Amino acid sequence: MGMCLPCLGGAADDVVTTPDPETRRRHLAEAAEKRQKETTYRGVKNPEAVERKRKKQEEIEKQAVTTSASGGGGLKVVAGGLKVRAAALECG
């Protein structure tokens, strides 16, 4: 029995204190964001370029929505197309 007592003397030094809940939540959130980012860009050589393209595409879509909502109609008149149609009507 006396053999175990010297081992217990250093047991208090090996006790790991757990961080407070807020610190633990922050660390878990950071780890989750890191995992999500790694999963999102898996296999992508240049993730910054992909992010720029995605933002640019979103801006283009937003601009298209605001343009069509402002009464532009979304239709463009092409003068060359009208001339071709007019010539077809004259021949027919």
Side-chain angles (χ1 to χ4, degrees):
M1 265 206 204
M3 300 295 275
C4 293
L5 291 177
C7 296
L8 295 177
D13 296 336
D14 296 337
V15 174
V16 177
T17 58
T18 57
D20 63 304
E22 183 61 33
T23 304
R24 183 178 167 129
R25 281 190 210 105
R26 188 169 19 95
H27 287 294
L28 290 173
E30 290 171 359
E33 288 176 8
K34 182 180 178 183
R35 282 193 308 272
Q36 185 177 13
K37 190 177 279 189
E38 288 174 354
T39 302
T40 302
Y41 296 117
R42 180 172 290 161
V44 177
K45 291 182 180 180
N46 190 353
E48 290 84 17
V50 173
E51 190 66 25
R52 283 193 307 267
K53 285 181 183 179
R54 185 185 62 79
K55 285 182 182 179
K56 184 176 180 182
Q57 184 65 30
E58 287 177 357
E59 289 175 7
I60 290 171
E61 290 174 359
K62 184 186 278 187
Q63 185 179 12
V65 169
T66 57
T67 302
S68 64
S70 66
L75 299 176
K76 293 182 180 179
V77 177
V78 179
L82 293 176
K83 290 180 183 177
V84 172
R85 289 185 191 149
L89 291 174
E90 290 175 7
C91 294

